[in-house]
Amino acid sequence: MRQQRFCLLLLLLAVVPGLSWAQGVPSPSSEHRAVEVDVQATDGGTAVSAEDAARLGLDSQGAEAKLVPPALVTESPAAWPEGLEGTPGEVTLELLVDAQGAVAEVKVVRAPTEPRLTEAALKAAPGLRFTPATLGGTPVAVRLPFVYRFEPPVQRPATTARLQGEVRARGTRRPLADATLFLDGSAEPSGTVDTRGRFTLEVAPGPHRVEVRAPGHQPATFEETVTEGQSVQVVYRLQPGRVSPYETVVRDERPRTEVTRISLHEQELREVPGTLGDPFRVIMLMPGVGSIASGISYPVVRGSQPAATGFFLDGVRIPMLYHLLLGPAVIHPDFIDTVDFYPGTPPVQFGRVLGGAVEGRLSRPREDRLHFTAYADLLNSGGFIEYPFEETGTSVSVAGRVSYSALLISLGANLLNEPGAENVRANFWDYQARVEQKVGEGRLRLFALGSSDDVGVSPSLQYPGDTGGGVVSRFHRVDLRGTHPLAGGEAEVGFTVGWDQVGLTGETTVARPGGALAVEEAGQYGLEQTSFALRAGWKRRLSETLEVALGGDVEHRRAATVITGQAIAPGYRPDVAQDPLKSPSSLATFSGAYATATWSPAERWLFQPGLRVDAYHLVPGLTHTAVEPRLTVRHRLTDTLTLKGGAGLFHQPPTVLLHLPAVDTAGLRYGLQSGAQFDVGAEWKAFEGLELSGDAFYNPLSRTVEFDVLDVAENRRRGGLAGQDPAASGYAYGFELMARHPLGRDWFGWASYSFLQSRRRVRIDRYGDDNRVVESVEGTLPFAFEQAHVFNAALSYKFDTWTFGTVVHFNTGRPESGQVSTQTHRLVPRADGSQEWVRQDQDRVERLGNFFRVDFRAAKSWAMEDFTLDAYLDVLNISVQQEVFGYDYYHDVAGPVRSPLRLPVVLPMFGLKGTY
């Protein structure tokens, strides 16, 4: 502990440097001179003597000669020498304080016996600052004594207590590695935390006040009392400035090598209005994507069939991404880290697709602590749990969801008094489980997922003979993969087992003995498929400019038609050879290999040539081989502008509207679909926070085999098709524009416009006035899924605890071709003067009406001690717009009527989610 005293004597020496003039009396010399005077005490303060006043030319009364002494304004404490033990001491100094108030000279007047105290005083004195002394209003330099009084520091009691603990973010439990602790009001930090947010403070017994600060969080003060020898464990939680902020994420950590890849992360996947918080439904708002109907999440990419787009999960192809009708994707959102969307020219590792590709990348297991989420909304509820075992390096994650939409339909039917609606069912569930293990420098992962949908109408129990039915769709996948460094690169090997089922079920009401009514299964017509797949890949960077990747896969599929009870396949006749699509039992093996190189011969150029070869073998003895060269070129014209282009060949087995197990293997009897894709474009980062991109594409389709789902389900194809070639050809072209603000700075959003044209060269049926086919000619038609203009805009903004977002969507109508809608009819006059509706020729059909909708989302977040709670309202089509799905052609008393079939698909979703 140190003390200092400033003493100004009433009599001291004054030095007036540089005085050339005094009270208007000229100096006999122009040189500066120093004059020493006696300063005396008076009732009015201090003054010089009359003699000195006369010498200075001042008033002999001393009125003009009053001295205003300096005042200390800045202290310069002298520290007690470290390690010194002893008694208090004083050091008296004489200071020369100049006309600016600074210490110009220091002399020792009286020193103690301990020389280290004198050294401390001499070291500290130059740091003193005073107000300048004035003599008669003129700043002067003065000499004055100054005393430093030293006292030994007070010895604190020995530290015998300890505070240990963690600093976490309130709500998320995230360790705050940049936190700082201040003890008992100290201005200096008393401690910091390590990378895991942990700290240890040695303190004296008694009460203490601990203040904790961390960037981006509100400071907090905690009161603690410890006793001698006690060690207290504490957890300090700081309230975040924003709950779940929109933090800028490092996107596209992989080098950009593809022509077009849109990657979405974090809140871009889970907080887009109208998507129900589901990552994969966001694909429906991307450029180049059309839709079957509003709210139905099966993307129509660049005018192709939905089944032409491949869905992948960490490289494993899955049959479908979404539950039937308006359901979410088949995998829990917390399992997804990033979604990559390739609208065209996907890389060579994505094989056996004719269109684009969607890949969900699983999040890496978090190895710090237990994580758990649970949510419930008006459609379904689900949970996710993840736990690491640090001692073994094992992480286990489990998730699942179940819907209760059938219960809601039944409740709604009772409220609206709608008879029969309570028998409607629309149920789904899914599950996912992962076990990941560190093995040396590599990792081993077992991942399983499954999904089930059951949609239909159950028969009533009011009278016997009532019938019902539905559609059941299920699939399961179990994937085991391992990654490990190999030959200077990274190798991966995986094995996948899958099981798929789609079935049409029938039910009927029967009378039991005694008269009781019960529902029994009448039969089932189903398609089942079991698959076994093995894949391997290796990637290595050979130099700073060259990287190579090799891989291959083989998949064996065993498909069968299952018929039970009274059910038969639509159009089934035991005495007639069946169309393969009606009884698609088959054994097939798909195998493929690929190689690609990423080469940067110059700083701004990147070339990625690749080659993929696939073989499709159908028992007995039918094999198709496809060779697919591909090339991507990127040129960074400036630091912000990149030009890009790509081309490739692509093949795929025949497709139906949606994926049906066994159909793609049985359809190999009709050969492969084949086409090319050409894409050119540019990417421009206009400035920080704004990314612009544009793509133009042309996809010639040399051979297509795209079956109408009604052909399969209702046997509408005319006899003899099995002996005909159902192949067609066509092309698609268009361009896409996108402006995007990536996630960060409290908001994200994008706006996109797509111009899409898709044509097919097919045989066109011409109908006579009697509604019969009179001839078939070759012609080019708009494809059934063509939507010429599509516009999407999405915006989401994060306030402190509130989030608001909106989506605007517009699309023009599809052709009313009769494939996924009604078919246009025309009026034909009759002899009696009446008019009759007959089918219009396929090349003259009209289009469905345009559609516009607005979606909305609002969410509120609360940060509890160790978990966050979110409440959200997500409304698809809050604008309540009605989309036209077709037209009804009929006659009433007023004459012929063409009435639009429309429905306002409005899906309000209120839910709660807790995250631990």
Side-chain angles (χ1 to χ4, degrees):
M1 182 70 69
R2 61 181 182 269
Q3 292 183 352
Q4 58 187 22
R5 294 292 184 267
F6 163 51
C7 299
L8 178 65
L9 300 181
L10 296 181
L11 293 176
L12 49 80
L13 297 177
V15 177
V16 189
L19 276 181
S20 299
W21 299 89
Q23 300 301 319
V25 180
S27 171
S29 171
S30 63
E31 297 180 0
H32 297 321
R33 61 193 180 94
V35 180
E36 294 184 358
V37 298
D38 289 331
V39 181
Q40 302 173 347
T42 68
D43 291 340
T46 58
V48 298
S49 66
E51 180 182 354
D52 287 335
R55 287 192 296 111
L56 292 172
L58 303 176
D59 183 2
S60 60
Q61 298 299 319
E64 301 286 347
K66 291 186 182 295
L67 176 69
V68 179
L72 183 64
V73 293
T74 302
E75 296 184 354
S76 180
W80 181 270
E82 186 176 355
L84 176 63
E85 297 181 2
T87 59
E90 291 185 356
V91 178
T92 302
L93 305 175
E94 182 182 88
L95 308 179
L96 173 58
V97 180
D98 62 20
Q100 285 74 42
V103 176
E105 182 182 322
V106 181
K107 293 182 180 180
V108 178
V109 176
R110 184 170 60 251
T113 56
E114 175 53 60
R116 282 182 286 180
L117 296 180
T118 303
E119 292 176 3
L122 290 174
K123 183 177 179 181
L128 297 167
R129 291 294 182 271
F130 300 83
T131 59
T134 58
L135 182 60
T138 303
V140 296
V142 297
R143 294 183 186 276
L144 70 155
F146 193 89
V147 178
Y148 275 103
R149 291 191 174 93
F150 291 88
E151 295 181 1
V154 178
Q155 296 295 325
R156 293 184 178 179
T159 299
T160 57
R162 176 178 297 173
L163 278 176
Q164 291 180 307
E166 300 177 43
V167 180
R168 303 175 183 169
R170 184 180 175 89
T172 63
R173 300 176 296 134
R174 180 173 62 89
L176 300 180
D178 49 1
T180 306
L181 297 91
F182 299 83
L183 190 64
D184 298 328
S186 172
E188 298 294 328
S190 302
T192 56
V193 300
D194 59 18
T195 56
R196 304 182 68 177
R198 298 176 178 176
F199 67 88
T200 299
L201 291 180
E202 302 290 342
V203 298
H208 294 280
R209 185 164 53 90
V210 182
E211 182 182 6
V212 186
R213 306 174 191 169
H217 294 74
Q218 300 176 13
T221 301
F222 305 89
E223 302 288 342
E224 305 289 353
T225 300
V226 293
T227 60
E228 184 173 353
Q230 185 181 21
S231 180
V232 178
Q233 296 288 333
V234 295
V235 176
Y236 295 146
R237 301 173 178 87
L238 298 187
Q239 179 74 25
R242 294 178 183 269
V243 181
S244 301
Y246 282 179
E247 299 174 339
T248 301
V249 298
V250 179
R251 301 181 306 114
D252 294 344
E253 64 279 4
R254 296 176 296 167
R256 293 302 301 259
T257 57
E258 306 83 2
V259 179
T260 302
R261 169 168 58 95
I262 302 174
S263 297
L264 301 171
H265 308 258
E266 302 294 337
Q267 288 95 340
E268 291 175 313
L269 295 174
R270 300 176 179 87
E271 297 189 9
V272 178
T275 64
L276 312 181
D278 190 272
F280 290 104
R281 288 177 68 97
V282 184
I283 298 299
M284 302 303 299
L285 301 174
M286 293 291 100
V289 177
S291 61
I292 301 174
S294 179
I296 304 297
S297 295
Y298 290 95
V300 178
V301 179
R302 292 185 173 177
S304 61
Q305 262 198 350
T309 297
F311 302 142
F312 298 86
L313 202 58
D314 268 6
V316 176
R317 189 162 185 174
I318 57 178
M320 57 190 298
L321 268 182
Y322 309 95
H323 290 288
L324 294 178
L325 298 180
L326 299 178
V330 297
I331 184 169
H332 195 285
D334 286 358
F335 261 114
I336 300 300
D337 173 69
T338 302
V339 171
D340 289 334
F341 173 51
Y342 306 88
T345 58
V348 291
Q349 61 264 34
F350 301 111
R352 298 187 278 278
V353 293
L354 191 63
V358 178
E359 182 184 29
R361 285 189 272 158
L362 296 185
S363 59
R364 288 292 299 270
R366 289 167 289 190
E367 301 173 349
D368 52 348
R369 58 189 183 275
L370 171 69
H371 291 269
F372 177 80
T373 64
Y375 78 93
D377 56 35
L378 299 179
L379 182 65
N380 66 111
S381 60
F384 172 88
I385 186 170
E386 185 172 65
Y387 187 77
F389 297 88
E390 296 185 11
E391 60 276 7
T392 61
T394 309
S395 176
V396 178
S397 309
V398 178
R401 290 180 295 187
V402 61
S403 77
Y404 30 78
S405 51
L407 174 62
L408 297 178
I409 293 173
S410 177
L411 293 175
N414 293 332
L415 292 175
L416 298 175
N417 294 320
E418 291 288 342
E422 67 274 6
N423 296 328
V424 176
R425 65 180 186 273
N427 301 317
F428 66 81
W429 52 258
D430 59 60
Y431 70 89
Q432 304 87 42
R434 174 179 65 190
V435 179
E436 189 154 339
Q437 174 70 50
K438 295 180 181 178
V439 181
E441 299 181 27
R443 303 181 76 91
L444 190 65
R445 187 183 79 188
L446 179 65
F447 182 67
L449 73 158
S451 170
S452 173
D453 292 90
D454 183 1
V455 180
V457 178
S458 301
S460 69
L461 293 175
Q462 297 179 357
Y463 52 89
D466 192 19
T467 60
V471 178
V472 177
S473 173
R474 295 189 179 97
F475 79 87
H476 303 271
R477 291 290 184 275
V478 178
D479 178 65
L480 177 64
R481 73 172 60 196
T483 58
H484 200 276
L486 176 66
E490 182 78 12
E492 177 181 284
V493 177
F495 177 70
T496 306
V497 178
W499 182 73
D500 303 75
Q501 179 190 40
V502 173
L504 303 175
T505 62
E507 297 173 327
T508 185
T509 302
V510 297
R512 298 288 191 189
L517 298 179
V519 175
E520 287 187 354
E521 182 176 313
Q524 176 183 1
Y525 167 67
L527 304 176
E528 293 185 356
Q529 178 174 279
T530 304
S531 61
F532 305 90
L534 179 66
R535 68 188 181 280
W538 178 75
K539 180 169 62 176
R540 178 183 177 183
R541 177 167 291 277
L542 300 179
S543 67
E544 293 184 357
T545 61
L546 181 62
E547 182 180 76
V548 297
L550 308 173
D553 66 279
V554 58
E555 180 180 10
H556 178 69
R557 300 181 184 179
R558 306 176 66 88
T561 302
V562 178
I563 301 176
T564 62
Q566 303 172 12
I568 61 173
Y572 177 82
R573 289 179 56 187
D575 57 332
V576 177
Q578 292 301 300
D579 186 328
L581 295 181
K582 298 303 179 182
S583 55
S585 301
S586 58
L587 296 178
T589 301
F590 298 163
S591 57
Y594 66 86
T596 183
T598 304
W599 178 44
S600 298
E603 180 182 0
R604 295 182 179 271
W605 284 93
L606 183 143
F607 296 87
Q608 189 177 57
L611 179 66
R612 182 178 182 92
V613 179
D614 283 286
Y616 304 79
H617 179 72
L618 179 66
V619 177
L622 181 62
T623 300
H624 302 285
T625 302
V627 180
E628 302 178 349
R630 303 181 194 178
L631 174 66
T632 298
V633 179
R634 296 177 66 89
H635 175 53
R636 190 157 53 90
L637 194 62
T638 68
D639 291 339
T640 59
L641 178 62
T642 299
L643 305 180
K644 56 186 183 177
L649 297 181
F650 299 84
H651 298 80
Q652 185 174 0
T655 53
V656 187
L657 170 64
L658 305 177
H659 171 83
L660 294 176
V663 171
D664 52 355
T665 55
L668 286 175
R669 293 177 172 86
Y670 301 115
L672 295 177
Q673 301 186 88
S674 60
Q677 296 187 24
F678 301 93
D679 194 330
V680 295
E683 298 169 354
W684 181 36
K685 293 186 178 180
F687 51 81
E688 185 66 27
L690 178 60
E691 299 176 0
L692 304 176
S693 63
D695 288 86
F697 66 90
Y698 175 66
N699 299 342
L701 303 171
S702 56
R703 192 172 192 273
T704 63
V705 186
E706 299 163 315
F707 293 113
D708 181 356
V709 67
L710 296 179
D711 289 339
V712 178
E714 299 182 8
N715 195 30
R716 285 189 175 180
R717 289 176 289 136
R718 297 184 303 278
L721 179 63
Q724 298 179 2
D725 183 4
S729 62
Y731 57 90
Y733 66 91
F735 64 87
E736 303 153 0
L737 303 175
M738 185 176 188
R740 179 184 182 190
H741 179 280
L743 185 66
R745 296 183 180 178
D746 299 326
W747 71 286
F748 69 85
W750 63 81
S752 68
Y753 167 75
S754 303
F755 173 72
L756 305 170
Q757 297 287 290
S758 183
R759 301 286 191 269
R760 296 295 183 271
R761 300 185 190 94
V762 295
R763 294 196 64 82
I764 302 172
D765 291 336
R766 298 207 179 277
Y767 296 91
D769 292 346
D770 58 355
N771 214 24
R772 296 182 179 180
V773 176
V774 296
E775 66 173 338
S776 294
V777 298
E778 294 286 339
T780 300
L781 301 177
F783 191 41
F785 298 97
E786 180 191 87
Q787 291 175 324
H789 304 279
V790 180
F791 173 81
N792 291 297
L795 174 66
S796 184
Y797 194 91
K798 168 76 74 172
F799 296 91
D800 288 343
T801 59
W802 282 93
T803 304
F804 294 97
T806 187
V807 162
V808 176
H809 169 83
F810 170 81
N811 65 261
T812 53
R814 301 186 311 274
E816 192 191 0
S817 62
Q819 296 187 33
V820 289
S821 66
T822 57
Q823 184 171 341
T824 304
H825 283 51
R826 59 187 174 90
L827 286 171
V828 175
R830 297 304 181 192
D832 59 0
S834 64
Q835 292 180 311
E836 183 179 352
W837 290 110
V838 298
R839 278 181 289 185
Q840 179 65 279
D841 296 340
Q842 292 174 306
D843 58 342
R844 298 170 184 170
V845 299
E846 299 180 9
R847 287 182 176 268
L848 303 176
N850 300 336
F851 178 67
F852 166 84
R853 78 166 193 268
V854 177
D855 307 330
F856 175 77
R857 177 184 173 89
K860 168 72 172 176
S861 300
W862 294 270
M864 307 301 182
E865 281 198 354
D866 286 327
F867 70 96
T868 59
L869 180 64
D870 296 276
Y872 55 89
L873 175 65
D874 195 334
V875 184
L876 174 74
N877 193 17
I878 196 173
S879 52
V880 199
Q881 297 296 305
Q882 300 187 54
E883 184 173 14
V884 177
F885 300 99
Y887 292 91
D888 188 13
Y889 300 89
Y890 63 94
H891 295 265
D892 62 11
V893 294
V897 178
R898 181 177 185 254
S899 176
L901 303 174
R902 62 178 71 197
L903 182 67
V905 179
V906 181
L907 188 60
M909 194 63 62
F910 175 77
L912 294 173
K913 179 181 179 181
T915 304
Y916 174 77

